[in-house]
Amino acid sequence: MKVSEINSMTLAEYLRLDSLELSRTEKMELTALLKAAKAYVKSYTGLTESAIDEHEDFVVVVYILVQDMYDNRVLYVERNNLNKVVETILGMHSINLL
């Protein structure tokens, strides 16, 4: 699976939400969280959208970031509370190490 293949329905399944009963607002929220997670991955690593698609381990990162933002109802990631798995995977692929 690629990051570009993740959508609100796959996120709903991962979060164990009933994807058939999602309201329009919930779908919009999941879409916003997905955009925020992708932006965070791109910003952290310095990679482009097409470059993050080349690494399947970013799918796990996006799922974890979305779950954290969904559970805590925030649209940003606190860098000092970053999940160690996420930090490790992002660090392995970072090209902007300055």
Side-chain angles (χ1 to χ4, degrees):
M1 180 174 215
K2 296 179 180 182
V3 171
S4 63
E5 296 171 345
I6 301 171
N7 58 40
S8 59
M9 293 299 127
T10 57
L11 288 174
E13 290 173 14
Y14 177 77
L15 296 170
R16 294 190 175 112
L17 303 173
D18 188 351
S19 59
L20 298 176
E21 294 185 16
L22 284 179
S23 69
R24 183 173 181 263
T25 304
E26 290 169 320
K27 287 179 186 175
M28 289 174 42
E29 179 184 9
L30 290 176
T31 300
L33 295 175
L34 177 58
K35 286 181 184 178
K38 286 180 180 180
Y40 186 81
V41 170
K42 290 189 294 186
S43 173
Y44 191 106
T45 62
L47 297 172
T48 63
E49 187 113 11
S50 60
I52 65 173
D53 260 354
E54 295 175 12
H55 305 283
E56 289 187 20
D57 47 352
F58 284 139
V59 172
V60 173
V61 170
V62 169
Y63 280 149
I64 292 171
L65 291 173
V66 169
Q67 181 179 18
D68 184 52
M69 289 186 284
Y70 182 82
D71 290 346
N72 296 305
R73 297 297 194 263
V74 293
L75 291 175
Y76 61 91
V77 177
E78 291 184 22
R79 197 159 196 168
N80 58 346
N81 292 330
L82 192 58
N83 180 298
K84 291 297 180 191
V85 172
V86 170
E87 190 172 21
T88 301
I89 292 172
L90 292 177
M92 289 186 326
H93 300 290
S94 290
I95 60 170
N96 58 352
L97 300 174
L98 296 177

